[in-house]
Amino acid sequence: SLVNILNSMFLIPSMKEMTKELFDCPVCLYSEGYGAKIEKGGGNYRSDQSIVLFDIKIGDWWLQRTDVEDIAVKLGLDVVPIIGIGTALTAAVGKSIGQDRKEVVVKQTAACLKIALLYMGLIGICFFVFRKAIMEFWAPDDYKVVEAGANILICAAIFQLFDAAAIIYSGALRGAGDTVWLAAISVVGTVVILGLGGFVMIKYFPELGPIGPWAAFTAYIIAIGLANRWRFKSNRWMQIDLFKRRPAG
């Protein structure tokens, strides 16, 4: 069963040591089981069962996607498809730059972006068109939950394409070594848009309810997606020398 598989994954000594190294406080890994006998057609994905990681919460903080990807790789866990594409793109970009073929990086990024936009675009359309049906499936007897969830799914539908751009361009920039930009834009976006924006929504627009913070989160995803696209298109990452030797101290 999936429970036995999870026990064999997380209760072995090597996994316990790895989690101790990665986390120094309570952590929650959000994932979904998939594979044979879990979902209809699950056997087409894999013959056995496993989990796919999509979010991580440490203490009171939700991790950025880049950190989720990094932890998934270290723990040997699968991640949701587009995050996986971003991770693969990071490795491909690093290899291309190592071969001094930076022009290939642009083609690799464009190809991955098309796949991500198509996939996330379809997800966004489903979120918007079937928003009430989705919520009625999970809360068939609670009208307020259905209405609130349907409105939140509209936000999710809006930011899907921008989320795809954020993931792909982030993966490309990380592979090119432009990590200072990624860290800076993440901090600024988190503090200004999520922190300040979320506070403004809760403080001055309480009538919006849960849609207020989600509107701030939607604005955050859009801003990160556009900012990372601008950074990649500026070609400043091409000026980074990943192999520059530091002077001996």
Side-chain angles (χ1 to χ4, degrees), residues 24-218:
D24 57 1
C25 61
V27 60
C28 184
L29 305 179
Y30 291 84
S31 59
E32 181 180 3
Y34 76 107
K37 298 182 180 181
I38 291 182
E39 54 206 343
K40 186 176 181 180
N44 295 328
Y45 302 130
R46 57 188 302 157
S47 58
D48 57 354
Q49 299 176 347
S50 187
I51 59 173
V52 57
L53 184 68
F54 57 84
D55 222 334
I56 299 176
K57 185 179 183 183
I58 299 180
D60 296 326
W61 295 91
W62 295 93
L63 297 191
Q64 298 293 324
R65 293 188 183 279
T66 53
D67 298 318
V68 174
E69 295 173 17
D70 181 61
I71 290 175
V73 171
K74 291 178 179 177
L75 295 180
L77 300 177
D78 295 333
V79 291
V80 293
I82 300 305
I83 294 181
I85 292 177
T87 303
L89 179 61
T90 297
V93 167
K95 181 178 179 180
S96 295
I97 291 178
Q99 297 173 339
D100 196 23
R101 302 175 63 192
K102 293 184 177 180
E103 72 284 353
V104 175
V105 171
V106 177
K107 296 180 180 179
Q108 292 171 328
T109 303
C112 290
L113 183 63
K114 289 178 181 178
I115 296 173
L117 290 176
L118 177 61
Y119 178 85
M120 299 287 272
L122 291 174
I123 295 296
I125 292 173
C126 289
F127 279 168
F128 182 79
V129 174
F130 303 111
R131 60 189 184 278
K132 286 196 174 182
I134 293 172
M135 292 308 304
E136 288 172 352
F137 174 81
W138 294 106
D141 301 321
D142 196 326
Y143 173 77
K144 291 184 177 180
V145 171
V146 171
E147 285 299 310
N151 289 332
I152 290 173
L153 284 175
I154 292 177
C155 290
I158 292 172
F159 68 64
Q160 288 302 303
L161 294 180
F162 296 95
D163 199 15
I167 294 171
I168 297 303
Y169 285 122
S170 174
L173 292 171
R174 191 180 310 110
D178 202 359
T179 53
V180 174
W181 163 265
L182 294 174
I185 198 65
S186 176
V187 170
V188 172
T190 300
V191 173
V192 176
I193 303 179
L194 282 183
L196 182 59
F199 171 78
V200 169
M201 287 294 182
I202 294 173
K203 179 71 174 179
Y204 298 103
F205 303 96
E207 67 276 5
L208 293 177
I211 199 67
W214 271 93
F217 180 72
T218 300

Side-chain angles (χ1 to χ4, degrees), residues 228-243:
N228 283 348
R229 182 182 187 280
W230 172 83
R231 181 68 174 186
F232 184 82
K233 293 293 185 178
S234 72
N235 291 332
R236 295 187 182 182
W237 55 271
M238 289 188 176
Q239 302 171 14
I240 298 175
D241 185 359
L242 293 177
F243 308 100

